[in-house]
Amino acid sequence: MPLLGPVLNVLVIMNGFWESPWLLVVFALGAAYMGAKIVEYIPYTRRIIERREASRG
């Protein structure tokens, strides 16, 4: 129970941030960029990308 206060405080602060559409756009762009970078480092998806690029010539 001692962690309940700080957790609720963080949730309230985050709720205030999400009310701004600009922050949501910035967050979405950052998440899209990070998702594209992470896919390149996953071995299975990297092999799929390499095969696709090799077949294009």
Side-chain angles (χ1 to χ4, degrees):
M1 283 300 186
L3 289 176
L4 184 60
V7 169
L8 289 176
N9 191 16
V10 167
L11 290 175
V12 168
I13 291 171
M14 292 290 289
N15 187 27
F17 284 137
W18 298 130
E19 290 178 5
S20 169
W22 293 109
L23 288 174
L24 287 175
V25 169
V26 169
F27 180 75
L29 291 174
Y33 175 77
M34 291 303 294
K37 289 297 176 188
I38 289 172
V39 165
E40 292 177 2
Y41 290 111
I42 299 173
Y44 179 73
T45 56
R46 186 175 54 215
R47 278 186 248 131
I48 293 172
I49 293 169
E50 289 172 354
R51 288 180 188 160
R52 187 180 304 156
E53 289 176 352
S55 67
R56 289 184 184 170

